[in-house]
Amino acid sequence: MKTIGVVGCGLMGRGIVEVSAASGYQVVVREINSDLLDGGLKAIRQSVDRAVAKGKRSEEEGEALTSRIVGTTDLAELAACDLVIEAIVEDLDAKTALYSELENHLSPAAILASNTSSLTVTQLAASTQRPDRFIGIHFFNPVPVMKLVEIVTTLMVDPNTVTRVSDYVESLGKRSIECKDNSGFIVNRLLVPYLLDAIRAYENGFGSLEDIDEGMKLGCGHPMGPFVLLDFIGLDTIYNIAEIMFDEYRETRFAPPPLLKQMVQAGHLGRKSGRGFYDYG
Ligand code: 3HC
C-alpha cells in the first residue's frame, strides 16, 4: 500500500491522516466542504507542530509529514488510493450513500474500510460491491497516542484483505486485535456499559462525580475516571453508540440513561462544547 484515503477530517479522521502520513504513506483526505477541510488540516498542522516543539519529531520530519497530505472536497481525488478509510458521522444511511458514490471512483482492487465504532461491519459491507474487500478498522481516541486498532472481520471478507490491513496497522506502529463483527466489537462492548453504569451510579447518588472518577483512577489504575472519559469522547458520541448497541442487543445494560439523553439535548456534549459532566469554561 502506498496511498491511503480518509473520508472525514473530524477528530478520528484527522488522527488517522496524521499517523498514516507519519508512517510514510501519501494521504488524500476528503471533507464535504472547504470550511471543515481547512479546520481539520489546521488541527493536523497544530498537532504536528506540537510534536516538533516537544522534540518528538524534527522540523524536517514535520514538514515531510504534512507535505504527504492532500486535502480535497472531491471524492474523485481518492481514485488512486489503495485503502480508503471512512470516518464520517455514525449514521448508516450517510455511510451507505457515501460508499455508493465513492465506489464509482475507486480502483477494483482498492480496499474500503470503516472506522465505525458501533454499527455492524456486515451491514456496511453488504451495501457495497466489494464485500470481500470491505473491513472494519477501529482506531481509538486520541489516535496519535492510543496503541490499539481493532480489525473487524465479516463472513464475506477475503483473508488477503485482512492480511493487507493488518500489515498497514502494524506499519503505523500500532497493535491490532482481530474481532468478529458484533456491534461494539471487543472494546466498546465492554467500555460502553461501564460508562453508562457510571452515569447510573451517579444518578442514584452513589457518590460525587469527582469521587467516582477518583475511585476508578486510583482504585483500578485507569488513566481517566469514567466522567472525564465521557467528556473526552463526547456525550453525543456515547449516546449514539449506546442507542445503536441497545437497538442491536436489546439488553438494558446498553440503554442510555435519561441523564445522558438530557445532557445531549441541553448541548452539554463534553470538552468539545465547553461543558459536560465537568465545566471546561
Ligand atoms: N493528540 C495527540 N497527542 C496527545 C493528545 C491528543 N489529543 N492528548 C494527549 N496527547 C499526548 C501528549 O502529547 C503526551 O505525549 P508526551 O508524553 O510524549 O508528551 C501524552 O499523550 C500524554 O498526555 P498528557 O501528559 O497531556 O496527558 P495524560 O497523561 O493524561 O494522557 C491520554 C492523556 C493519553 C488521553 C490519557 O489520559 C488516556 O489514555 N486516556 C484514556 C483515553 C481512552 O480511553 N481512549 C479511548 C476512548 S474510547 C474510543 O476511542 C472508542 C470510540 O469508538 C468511542
Side-chain angles (χ1 to χ4, degrees):
M1 286 190 194
K2 290 201 170 88
T3 307
I4 307 296
V6 179
V7 184
C9 201
L11 195 60
M12 298 305 283
R14 71 177 72 132
I16 300 169
V17 170
E18 184 181 333
V19 296
S20 299
S23 300
Y25 294 98
Q26 297 296 321
V27 186
V28 185
V29 56
R30 186 265 191 177
E31 253 300 353
I32 44 173
N33 63 47
S34 48
D35 278 353
L36 288 174
L37 181 63
D38 291 347
L41 292 175
K42 191 171 159 208
I44 295 170
R45 268 191 301 274
Q46 283 170 344
S47 178
V48 172
D49 287 348
R50 224 179 11 246
V52 171
K54 279 185 160 186
K56 285 198 228 166
R57 291 187 207 290
S58 69
E59 218 159 290
E60 295 73 40
E61 282 168 344
E63 268 166 37
L65 187 166
T66 38
S67 74
R68 285 191 283 270
I69 302 170
V70 173
T72 181
T73 53
D74 184 0
L75 281 181
E77 289 205 33
L78 298 166
C81 294
D82 305 300
L83 165 68
V84 175
I85 304 171
E86 164 272 306
I88 67 165
V89 59
E90 196 73 339
D91 178 278
L92 178 64
D93 293 339
K95 287 183 193 290
T96 55
L98 167 73
Y99 302 154
S100 82
E101 200 186 336
L102 180 60
E103 281 197 298
N104 295 325
H105 304 290
L106 294 185
S107 83
I111 295 173
L112 184 52
S114 177
N115 181 55
T116 181
S117 51
S118 49
L119 294 166
T120 60
V121 176
T122 304
Q123 64 187 332
L124 300 176
S127 77
T128 71
Q129 293 157 25
R130 62 185 75 220
D132 55 327
R133 283 152 291 139
F134 192 101
I135 196 160
I137 308 182
H138 184 217
F139 288 84
F140 291 82
N141 177 27
V143 177
V145 180
M146 304 309 281
K147 289 276 166 247
L148 183 75
V149 175
E150 290 178 312
I151 295 182
V152 188
T153 58
T154 66
L155 297 175
M156 301 170 285
V157 72
D158 187 317
N160 185 42
T161 303
V162 183
T163 306
R164 294 185 66 202
V165 164
S166 302
D167 291 347
Y168 158 71
V169 169
E170 201 176 300
S171 75
L172 304 180
K174 301 213 180 274
R175 169 84 203 278
S176 67
I177 54 174
E178 204 175 308
C179 316
K180 288 210 178 92
D181 187 27
N182 270 301
S183 179
F185 319 130
I186 293 173
V187 174
N188 278 346
R189 200 187 155 104
L190 298 175
L191 177 66
V192 172
Y194 155 71
L195 294 174
L196 300 178
D197 252 348
I199 300 172
R200 288 185 197 105
Y202 174 63
E203 268 181 324
N204 290 328
F206 285 23
S208 67
L209 295 175
E210 291 82 0
D211 281 352
I212 297 172
D213 272 345
E214 283 295 279
M216 294 311 292
K217 254 183 91 170
L218 302 182
C220 296
H222 290 192
M224 290 173 163
F227 296 103
V228 173
L229 183 55
L230 280 157
D231 281 353
F232 181 72
I233 295 171
L235 302 191
D236 51 340
T237 303
I238 285 292
Y239 179 75
N240 283 340
I241 294 175
E243 283 279 63
I244 292 169
M245 292 181 77
F246 179 66
D247 202 38
E248 179 76 10
Y249 298 115
R250 307 291 164 117
E251 289 177 33
T252 48
R253 65 200 184 105
F254 296 110
L259 176 61
L260 177 62
K261 187 173 186 179
Q262 285 162 22
M263 290 182 73
V264 172
Q265 287 168 338
H268 298 174
L269 307 180
R271 275 197 202 187
K272 62 183 165 190
S273 72
R275 184 166 174 190
F277 285 100
Y278 294 103
D279 198 335
Y280 301 88

